[in-house]
Protein backbone atom coordinates (compact mmCIF):
# COMPACT_ATOMS: atom_id res chain seq x y z
CA UNK A 1 0.00 0.00 0.00
CA UNK A 2 2.84 2.40 0.80
CA UNK A 3 4.40 1.92 -2.64
CA UNK A 4 1.09 2.62 -4.38
CA UNK A 5 0.54 5.65 -2.18
CA UNK A 6 4.00 7.00 -2.95
CA UNK A 7 3.55 6.42 -6.66
CA UNK A 8 0.18 8.14 -6.58
CA UNK A 9 1.66 11.10 -4.74
CA UNK A 10 4.40 11.46 -7.35
CA UNK A 11 1.84 11.35 -10.17
CA UNK A 12 -0.31 13.95 -8.44
CA UNK A 13 2.71 16.19 -8.00
CA UNK A 14 3.67 15.91 -11.65
CA UNK A 15 0.10 16.63 -12.76
CA UNK A 16 -0.07 19.66 -10.50
CA UNK A 17 3.29 20.95 -11.72
CA UNK A 18 2.12 20.58 -15.31
CA UNK A 19 -1.05 22.51 -14.49
CA UNK A 20 1.02 25.36 -13.10
CA UNK A 21 3.34 25.37 -16.13
CA UNK A 22 0.37 25.27 -18.50
CA UNK A 23 -1.23 28.13 -16.56
CA UNK A 24 1.90 30.24 -16.97
CA UNK A 25 1.80 29.58 -20.70
CA UNK A 26 -1.87 30.46 -20.99
CA UNK A 27 -1.47 33.72 -19.08
CA UNK A 28 1.65 34.67 -21.02
CA UNK A 29 -0.12 33.90 -24.29
CA UNK A 30 -3.35 35.77 -23.51
CA UNK A 31 -2.40 38.56 -21.09
CA UNK A 32 1.37 38.95 -21.24
CA UNK A 33 4.18 38.55 -18.73
CA UNK A 34 3.00 41.44 -16.51
CA UNK A 35 -0.02 39.31 -15.53
CA UNK A 36 2.12 36.48 -14.13
CA UNK A 37 1.13 36.70 -10.45
CA UNK A 38 0.83 33.92 -7.88
CA UNK A 39 -2.92 34.25 -7.36
CA UNK A 40 -3.69 34.44 -11.06
CA UNK A 41 -1.52 31.44 -11.92
CA UNK A 42 -3.08 29.35 -9.13
CA UNK A 43 -6.58 30.32 -10.26
CA UNK A 44 -5.94 29.35 -13.88
CA UNK A 45 -4.21 26.11 -12.80
CA UNK A 46 -6.97 25.21 -10.35
CA UNK A 47 -4.36 24.27 -7.74
CA UNK A 48 -3.71 25.77 -4.30
CA UNK A 49 -1.14 28.57 -4.63
CA UNK A 50 0.82 27.11 -1.70
CA UNK A 51 1.90 24.34 -4.03
CA UNK A 52 3.83 26.85 -6.12
CA UNK A 53 6.16 27.28 -3.16
CA UNK A 54 6.22 23.54 -2.40
CA UNK A 55 7.00 22.45 -5.96
CA UNK A 56 9.04 25.36 -7.33
CA UNK A 57 10.21 27.33 -4.30
CA UNK A 58 8.12 30.30 -5.38
CA UNK A 59 6.94 32.08 -8.49
CA UNK A 60 10.50 32.76 -9.72
CA UNK A 61 11.27 29.03 -9.69
CA UNK A 62 8.03 28.29 -11.53
CA UNK A 63 8.72 30.88 -14.21
CA UNK A 64 12.34 29.70 -14.52
CA UNK A 65 11.19 26.15 -15.23
CA UNK A 66 8.58 27.37 -17.68
CA UNK A 67 11.15 29.44 -19.59
CA UNK A 68 13.50 26.46 -19.89
CA UNK A 69 10.65 24.26 -21.14
CA UNK A 70 9.67 26.63 -23.95
CA UNK A 71 12.95 27.86 -25.42
CA UNK A 72 13.89 26.00 -28.62
CA UNK A 73 17.67 26.10 -28.30
CA UNK A 74 17.53 24.96 -24.68
CA UNK A 75 16.15 21.67 -26.00
CA UNK A 76 19.33 21.12 -28.03
CA UNK A 77 21.36 19.55 -25.25
CA UNK A 78 25.05 18.72 -25.17
CA UNK A 79 24.18 15.07 -24.52
CA UNK A 80 22.09 14.89 -27.70
CA UNK A 81 24.84 16.45 -29.79
CA UNK A 82 27.42 14.00 -28.46
CA UNK A 83 25.18 11.09 -29.46
CA UNK A 84 24.99 12.16 -33.09
CA UNK A 85 28.58 13.38 -33.51
CA UNK A 86 29.94 10.02 -34.75
CA UNK A 87 27.40 10.15 -37.61
CA UNK A 88 28.56 13.55 -38.82
CA UNK A 89 31.36 13.91 -41.35
CA UNK A 90 30.28 17.18 -42.96
CA UNK A 91 31.52 19.69 -40.42
CA UNK A 92 28.11 19.92 -38.78
CA UNK A 93 26.30 21.15 -41.90
CA UNK A 94 23.41 18.66 -41.80
CA UNK A 95 23.00 19.17 -38.06
CA UNK A 96 22.86 22.96 -38.33
CA UNK A 97 20.51 22.84 -41.30
CA UNK A 98 18.06 20.67 -39.37
CA UNK A 99 18.33 22.91 -36.31
CA UNK A 100 17.66 26.12 -38.26
CA UNK A 101 14.69 24.71 -40.17
CA UNK A 102 13.21 23.19 -37.03
CA UNK A 103 13.69 26.46 -35.13
CA UNK A 104 11.82 28.28 -37.91
CA UNK A 105 8.79 25.98 -37.53
CA UNK A 106 8.97 25.76 -33.73
CA UNK A 107 8.73 29.49 -33.14
CA UNK A 108 5.98 29.81 -35.75
CA UNK A 109 3.76 27.17 -34.13
CA UNK A 110 4.46 27.98 -30.45
CA UNK A 111 2.80 31.25 -29.43
CA UNK A 112 4.29 30.93 -25.96
CA UNK A 113 7.78 30.88 -27.49
CA UNK A 114 6.93 34.09 -29.34
CA UNK A 115 5.79 35.76 -26.12
CA UNK A 116 8.95 34.54 -24.42
CA UNK A 117 11.08 36.17 -27.11
CA UNK A 118 9.25 39.46 -26.65
CA UNK A 119 9.72 39.17 -22.90
CA UNK A 120 13.45 38.66 -23.29
CA UNK A 121 13.68 41.83 -25.36
CA UNK A 122 11.60 44.01 -23.07
CA UNK A 123 12.51 43.17 -19.48
CA UNK A 124 15.71 42.27 -17.62
CA UNK A 125 15.17 39.17 -15.53
CA UNK A 126 17.58 36.74 -13.89
CA UNK A 127 15.86 33.71 -15.38
CA UNK A 128 16.01 35.23 -18.85
CA UNK A 129 19.67 36.06 -18.37
CA UNK A 130 20.37 32.51 -17.18
CA UNK A 131 18.62 31.23 -20.30
CA UNK A 132 20.85 33.37 -22.51
CA UNK A 133 23.96 32.19 -20.67
CA UNK A 134 22.88 28.56 -21.01
CA UNK A 135 22.24 29.00 -24.73
CA UNK A 136 25.67 30.52 -25.21
CA UNK A 137 27.30 27.72 -23.24
CA UNK A 138 25.56 25.05 -25.31
CA UNK A 139 26.26 26.93 -28.52
CA UNK A 140 29.96 27.28 -27.69
CA UNK A 141 30.18 23.56 -27.06
CA UNK A 142 28.45 22.75 -30.37
CA UNK A 143 30.65 25.14 -32.35
CA UNK A 144 33.84 23.69 -30.87
CA UNK A 145 32.67 20.10 -31.25
CA UNK A 146 31.32 20.26 -34.81
CA UNK A 147 32.23 23.41 -36.72
CA UNK A 148 35.43 25.08 -35.50
CA UNK A 149 37.71 22.31 -36.72
CA UNK A 150 35.99 22.43 -40.13
CA UNK A 151 36.23 26.20 -40.64
CA UNK A 152 39.50 26.69 -38.72
CA UNK A 153 40.63 30.32 -39.18
CA UNK A 154 37.18 31.18 -40.57
CA UNK A 155 35.34 29.85 -37.52
CA UNK A 156 34.37 33.31 -36.29
CA UNK A 157 33.07 34.15 -39.75
CA UNK A 158 30.83 31.10 -39.62
CA UNK A 159 29.58 32.04 -36.16
CA UNK A 160 28.74 35.52 -37.42
CA UNK A 161 26.72 34.07 -40.28
CA UNK A 162 24.86 31.77 -37.88
CA UNK A 163 24.09 34.73 -35.60
CA UNK A 164 22.44 36.52 -38.51
CA UNK A 165 20.50 33.44 -39.62
CA UNK A 166 19.24 32.45 -36.17
CA UNK A 167 18.16 35.98 -35.28
CA UNK A 168 16.69 36.52 -38.75
CA UNK A 169 14.48 33.45 -38.47
CA UNK A 170 13.31 34.61 -35.06
CA UNK A 171 12.47 38.05 -36.43
CA UNK A 172 10.63 36.86 -39.53
CA UNK A 173 8.32 34.69 -37.41
CA UNK A 174 7.74 37.45 -34.88
CA UNK A 175 7.04 40.02 -37.57
CA UNK A 176 4.54 37.73 -39.28
CA UNK A 177 2.80 37.00 -35.98
CA UNK A 178 2.54 40.64 -34.88
CA UNK A 179 2.41 42.83 -37.98
CA UNK A 180 1.11 40.85 -40.94
CA UNK A 181 2.34 37.98 -43.01
CA UNK A 182 4.14 39.75 -45.88
CA UNK A 183 7.88 40.25 -45.49
CA UNK A 184 9.97 41.29 -48.52
CA UNK A 185 7.05 40.20 -50.68
CA UNK A 186 6.98 36.70 -49.15
CA UNK A 187 3.84 35.53 -47.35
CA UNK A 188 5.49 34.00 -44.29
CA UNK A 189 2.19 32.59 -43.04
CA UNK A 190 1.58 30.52 -46.19
CA UNK A 191 3.05 27.07 -46.80
CA UNK A 192 4.48 28.28 -50.11
CA UNK A 193 6.14 31.27 -48.51
CA UNK A 194 7.60 29.27 -45.65
CA UNK A 195 9.03 26.72 -48.05
CA UNK A 196 10.76 29.56 -49.92
CA UNK A 197 12.31 30.76 -46.67
CA UNK A 198 13.48 27.23 -45.85
CA UNK A 199 15.04 26.82 -49.29
CA UNK A 200 16.83 30.12 -48.80
CA UNK A 201 18.18 28.92 -45.43
CA UNK A 202 19.54 25.74 -47.01
CA UNK A 203 20.99 27.71 -49.91
CA UNK A 204 22.82 30.13 -47.62
CA UNK A 205 24.10 27.38 -45.36
CA UNK A 206 25.36 25.22 -48.21
CA UNK A 207 27.13 28.16 -49.85
CA UNK A 208 28.70 29.06 -46.52
CA UNK A 209 30.18 25.58 -46.23
CA UNK A 210 31.33 25.62 -49.84
CA UNK A 211 32.87 29.09 -49.94
CA UNK A 212 33.92 30.20 -46.46
Amino acid sequence: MERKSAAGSIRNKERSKKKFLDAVGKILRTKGYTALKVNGIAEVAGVDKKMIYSYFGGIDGLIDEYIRSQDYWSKVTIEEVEKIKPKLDDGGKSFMEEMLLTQFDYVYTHKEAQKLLLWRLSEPRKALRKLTDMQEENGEYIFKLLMDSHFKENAEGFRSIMAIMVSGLYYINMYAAMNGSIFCGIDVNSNKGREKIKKAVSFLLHHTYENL
Side-chain angles (χ1 to χ4, degrees):
M1 292 296 292
E2 289 184 3
R3 288 184 179 179
K4 289 184 178 180
S5 178
S9 178
I10 292 171
R11 286 194 296 270
N12 287 335
K13 178 180 179 179
E14 292 306 311
R15 281 195 293 266
S16 295
K17 288 181 68 175
K18 185 177 186 304
K19 287 180 180 180
F20 280 127
L21 292 168
D22 290 344
V24 171
K26 183 176 181 179
I27 293 171
L28 185 62
R29 186 172 62 249
T30 58
K31 298 180 180 180
Y33 59 84
T34 57
L36 291 173
K37 310 294 183 184
V38 170
N39 289 338
I41 294 171
E43 182 179 353
V44 173
V47 182
D48 191 328
K49 66 181 182 182
K50 293 179 182 178
M51 295 299 100
I52 292 177
Y53 300 93
S54 296
Y55 297 154
F56 304 97
I59 189 170
D60 286 342
L62 168 58
I63 293 175
D64 286 358
E65 185 163 334
Y66 173 80
I67 288 171
R68 289 193 298 271
S69 73
Q70 291 300 312
D71 178 69
Y72 171 72
W73 287 101
S74 295
K75 301 176 186 295
V76 185
T77 65
I78 291 173
E79 291 76 15
E80 290 176 346
V81 176
E82 287 181 332
K83 288 179 182 178
I84 65 173
K85 184 181 183 294
K87 302 177 183 178
L88 301 177
D89 57 1
D90 59 357
K93 181 174 71 173
S94 58
F95 171 82
M96 186 53 67
E97 182 175 18
E98 181 181 354
M99 291 301 100
L100 290 170
L101 297 180
T102 305
Q103 173 209 333
F104 185 50
D105 285 337
Y106 180 86
V107 176
Y108 181 71
T109 56
H110 288 73
K111 300 302 180 185
E112 293 92 340
Q114 295 172 14
K115 295 291 185 179
L116 182 56
L117 283 169
L118 290 175
W119 193 6
R120 292 176 71 182
L121 292 173
S122 58
E123 182 189 27
R125 183 183 176 85
K126 288 183 179 179
L128 298 173
R129 180 64 200 179
K130 284 193 294 185
L131 175 62
T132 300
D133 291 342
M134 181 174 65
Q135 287 177 334
E136 284 300 308
E137 182 180 340
N138 286 352
E140 183 68 19
Y141 182 85
I142 292 169
F143 281 128
K144 287 183 176 179
L145 184 68
L146 301 178
M147 292 92 174
D148 283 2
S149 60
H150 177 84
F151 288 99
K152 299 177 181 178
E153 68 274 9
N154 293 320
E156 288 190 356
F158 175 77
R159 291 178 181 221
S160 300
I161 293 170
M162 289 303 99
I164 293 171
M165 292 181 72
V166 170
S167 60
L169 292 176
Y170 275 141
Y171 184 79
I172 290 172
N173 274 321
M174 298 300 294
Y175 183 92
M178 303 297 171
N179 292 307
S181 61
I182 306 300
F183 194 95
C184 291
I186 304 295
D187 185 352
V188 183
N189 285 335
S190 71
N191 290 334
K192 183 178 179 181
R194 295 188 68 77
E195 284 304 313
K196 288 181 178 179
I197 298 294
K198 289 181 178 181
K199 287 182 179 179
V201 169
S202 297
F203 174 85
L204 291 171
L205 189 64
H206 287 203
H207 276 268
T208 296
Y209 270 84
E210 289 174 5
N211 300 301
L212 187 63

